[in-house]
Amino acid sequence: MRSALDIARDVRSGATTAENEMATSLAAIRARNDELNVFLFVDEEGALDAARRVDERVTRGEDVGALAGVPIALKDNLCQSGVPTTAGSKILKGWRPPYSATVVGRLLDAGAVPMGKTNMDEFAMGSSTETSAFGPTRNPLNVERVPGGSSGGSASAVAADMTPLSLGSDTGGSIRQPAALCGLVGVKPTYGLVSRYGLIAFASSLDQIGPFAKNVADAAALLEVIAGHDPMDSTSLPELAPSLLSHVNDGVAGKRVGLVRELFDGAADEVVAEVERAAEALRDAGATIVELSVPEIHLGLSAYYLIAPAEASSNLARYDGVRYGLRVDADDVAAMNEATRTAGFGAEVKRRIMLGTYALSAGYYDAYYGQALKVRTQLIDAFRRAYLEADLLLGATAPTVAFAIGEKTADPMAMYLSDVFTIPTNLAGDAAISVPFGTGEADLPIGVQLLGPGRSEAGLFAAARVLELADGRS
Ligand code: GLN
């Protein structure tokens, strides 16, 4: 599939049409969706109509936007008015939101065509897309393996050439880890850079929306479109979207890159080897490599598994069978709430709600939730110190290449460890990007991770572009 930027350029010039590009995308979905279970919903006629409207605007000579006619897949926790949205859960099956997320509006303004909703771990809780109530998604590169998660459907859509772009959400790694496992570029933007209005909340102090793409420039173009202040999200940063695409080829000359031991400790040897090779590539491009240790990174996972479930237990209280979604009738309201939640939520979501409720309960609050917040502050300080010594940090995205379907479902702790390198960024509110670099076992892709302080996206894209070139990609 051609890059999103090539498609947009050709749609604007009239060399192709949005309708034609959408037809190509829909044909690719028809060919493999039954096998891979990527999309939970595609409105073929609606997508073609929306594409034709873009073409009409081109014909009228209007400036259609940076993503003119580009088909884009949305993770199924992003609301689009009138389009079924489940967050991968039975409890929302059949729900059609009466409003659209801010990112959806921005995509439309830029000429992109949102055309379907992708499978995900239930309420974004998971690392493999296996906790979805609608069955697992398979990795298009090897159908016996997981695509990662929780945005596994959005990653697979791009990896299977069904769409050139997609959006996911990243609370603890859910964009970067599936990007790594599917050989894509995936970005967790700075907390507050992208509006979350219309994103179904998981853990509100951590959630961010971000792009998946096949290459760095496409990811930068997409983030530029969706970023920027939104009065509808109280955590939105007050500034306009940063300029990203124009910095993609800035390089890394003179930059200090911190090679952080704790960001690849315990990863498979083949992953460690690629991280080291990435450090060499950055050095060859003029960066200075500084070896760093940030021991607080090891505390990230435990703090996350108190903070994220605590916030989730509160956010998910709204699914009570009263106003929308599933309702299982019973004799009184309390019994109806219980029956609805028992039937509507899957095992992982119930585990998180119980963990979170426990961490917040009277008598345990200080020992668990309060303690986790203190650890979070320590981690934030540790990153701040690291960024005095380095402009950006380098490590692994995931400890291994894509693992087998079913391999970790019986052991939640093993599953949680998939995100040990990605979670610290979310706790710090910083930015990070995963970029494909080399391959490992079974010829599956490996992703390396570049991390930077808040608002450092332009520099991260430039470094990712250096790695993309060094790895012989576009
Ligand atoms: N895998 C992590 C979890 O299960 C992160 C998920 C995410 O980023 N949404 O919580």
Side-chain angles (χ1 to χ4, degrees):
M1 175 167 271
R2 283 176 326 128
S3 77
L5 285 169
D6 284 351
I7 292 173
R9 184 199 56 218
D10 290 352
V11 167
R12 281 195 304 266
S13 74
T16 181
T17 63
E19 182 179 5
N20 184 35
E21 296 300 326
M22 185 56 72
T24 304
S25 172
L26 293 173
I29 294 168
R30 249 178 266 124
R32 283 195 88 186
N33 199 48
D34 287 349
E35 176 197 14
L36 301 174
N37 196 27
V38 171
F39 281 89
L40 297 178
F41 179 82
V42 179
D43 172 11
E44 295 210 2
E45 275 317 305
L48 287 167
D49 278 348
R52 279 183 215 113
R53 284 197 294 277
V54 171
D55 291 328
E56 284 160 17
R57 289 173 58 198
V58 174
T59 314
R60 285 200 298 269
E62 287 175 32
D63 177 7
V64 189
L67 299 178
V70 178
I72 180 162
L74 303 177
K75 186 176 182 177
D76 204 24
N77 57 358
L78 290 164
C79 292
Q80 187 179 359
S81 185
V83 175
T85 300
T86 66
S89 183
K90 251 195 303 196
I91 212 157
L92 278 175
K93 196 170 170 210
W95 181 60
R96 290 176 187 253
Y99 69 107
S100 287
T102 295
V103 291
V104 172
R106 298 221 169 141
L107 289 172
L108 293 171
D109 289 346
V113 190
M115 37 64 65
K117 308 301 290 293
T118 60
N119 199 16
M120 56 182 282
D121 282 299
E122 186 175 7
F123 284 103
M125 297 171 188
S127 308
S128 65
T129 317
E130 291 168 295
T131 74
S132 168
F134 308 105
T137 295
R138 292 175 180 275
N139 189 322
L141 306 175
N142 179 334
V143 297
E144 304 306 322
R145 307 286 177 117
V146 302
S150 63
S151 317
S154 285
S156 294
V158 177
D161 286 330
M162 292 171 167
T163 56
L165 296 175
S166 63
L167 288 182
S169 64
D170 190 313
T171 304
S174 280
I175 295 172
R176 290 161 287 160
Q177 184 258 15
L181 272 46
C182 290
L184 305 172
V185 175
V187 187
K188 199 298 268 183
T190 302
Y191 186 75
L193 189 71
V194 179
S195 168
R196 298 170 309 163
Y197 178 71
L199 168 70
I200 294 177
F202 165 12
S204 306
S205 78
L206 303 159
D207 300 338
Q208 266 294 287
I209 299 168
F212 286 98
K214 277 236 164 123
N215 64 69
V216 173
D218 277 3
L222 175 52
L223 182 55
E224 217 172 277
V225 162
I226 60 171
H229 181 66
D230 175 20
M232 299 299 281
D233 175 354
S234 63
T235 64
S236 174
L237 293 172
E239 61 247 20
L240 296 172
S243 210
L244 300 171
L245 196 51
S246 61
H247 290 291
V248 158
N249 290 312
D250 281 0
V252 291
K255 290 276 162 66
R256 299 163 304 163
V257 176
L259 181 60
V260 181
R261 189 175 321 138
E262 290 79 8
L263 287 174
F264 55 86
D265 246 3
D269 290 347
E270 61 186 17
V271 173
V272 176
E274 291 304 329
V275 171
E276 284 165 355
R277 199 167 67 84
E280 276 162 36
L282 293 168
R283 187 189 292 125
D284 289 347
T288 313
I289 306 297
V290 199
E291 295 204 8
L292 291 179
S293 169
V294 184
E296 291 83 352
I297 284 176
H298 285 317
L299 304 172
L301 194 80
S302 346
Y304 173 89
Y305 275 98
L306 290 166
I307 293 169
E311 295 182 16
S313 74
S314 166
N315 275 327
L316 271 58
R318 72 191 69 174
Y319 305 103
D320 54 8
V322 175
R323 284 161 297 231
Y324 51 81
L326 181 75
R327 174 184 295 181
V328 178
D329 282 321
D331 291 342
D332 57 42
V333 174
M336 183 278 283
N337 292 157
E338 186 179 333
T340 298
R341 290 166 69 82
T342 301
F345 289 138
E348 185 60 30
V349 173
K350 287 175 181 160
R351 177 165 24 245
R352 303 284 180 108
I353 291 173
M354 287 188 282
L355 264 171
T357 308
Y358 187 80
L360 290 173
S361 57
Y364 295 101
Y365 186 97
D366 287 341
Y368 292 108
Y369 183 66
Q371 188 65 18
L373 289 184
K374 286 183 196 157
V375 169
R376 182 177 192 173
T377 302
Q378 283 191 352
L379 188 64
I380 292 169
D381 287 345
F383 272 115
R384 207 168 283 155
R385 284 195 300 274
Y387 289 126
L388 295 175
E389 291 176 59
D391 301 299
L392 46 102
L393 307 178
L394 172 67
T397 304
T400 63
V401 296
F403 46 92
I405 290 183
E407 188 179 322
K408 296 186 201 264
T409 40
D411 182 354
M413 195 57 200
M415 190 70 86
Y416 297 171
L417 283 166
S418 313
D419 300 298
V420 61
F421 303 135
T422 49
I423 278 172
T425 314
N426 300 77
L427 288 167
D430 290 340
I433 184 166
S434 179
V435 59
F437 201 73
T439 52
E441 186 248 315
D443 212 24
L444 286 163
I446 287 172
V448 300
Q449 193 183 188
L450 294 157
L451 301 78
R455 299 176 167 93
S456 64
E457 279 81 0
L460 293 179
F461 280 114
R465 175 73 183 138
V466 167
L467 294 181
E468 180 174 66
L469 287 169
D471 202 39
R473 292 162 196 268
S474 52

